[in-house]
């Protein structure tokens, strides 16, 4: 499948919890193929944008976390 269809499959899978078998009528692909496509798209997104998670400002996030625990 092309990139747009792969992204649509991944977004459908993660936006609303559904089984791959529920997606067969929409994408006309068997369950193993839908699974492989989803895993490939998720791997691509992580490889392309995973560095953003590693570069978060931990000091700022720790302050925010401690503020949230004090309020609760």
């Amino acid at each position: 499948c092309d990139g747009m269809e792969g992204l649509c499959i991944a977004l459908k899978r993660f936006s609303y919890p559904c089984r791959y078998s529920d997606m067969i009528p929409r994408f006309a692909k068997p369950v193993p193929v839908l699974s492989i496509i989803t895993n490939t798209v998720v791997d691509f997104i992580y490889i392309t944008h995973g560095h953003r998670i590693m570069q978060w400002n931990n000091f700022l996030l720790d302050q925010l976390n401690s503020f949230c625990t004090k309020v609760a």
Side-chain angles (χ1 to χ4, degrees):
C1 75
D2 62 346
M4 184 61 72
E5 185 179 14
L7 182 62
C8 290
I9 291 170
L11 290 175
K12 171 68 176 154
R13 175 80 169 135
F14 295 129
S15 66
Y16 184 78
C18 63
R19 288 171 277 189
Y20 288 118
S21 59
D22 298 336
M23 297 168 56
I24 291 173
R26 175 162 296 180
F27 296 105
K29 296 189 183 323
V31 170
V33 174
L34 291 172
S35 176
I36 291 169
I37 291 170
T38 303
N39 290 337
T40 304
V41 170
V42 169
D43 288 343
F44 174 77
I45 291 171
Y46 181 76
I47 289 168
T48 307
H49 299 287
H51 68 280
R52 297 176 195 275
I53 296 171
M54 302 302 171
Q55 294 176 353
W56 280 347
N57 188 341
N58 290 327
F59 176 73
L60 225 143
L61 291 174
D62 287 341
Q63 285 181 345
L64 183 65
N65 189 18
S66 64
F67 174 74
C68 291
T69 56
K70 289 177 186 175
V71 172

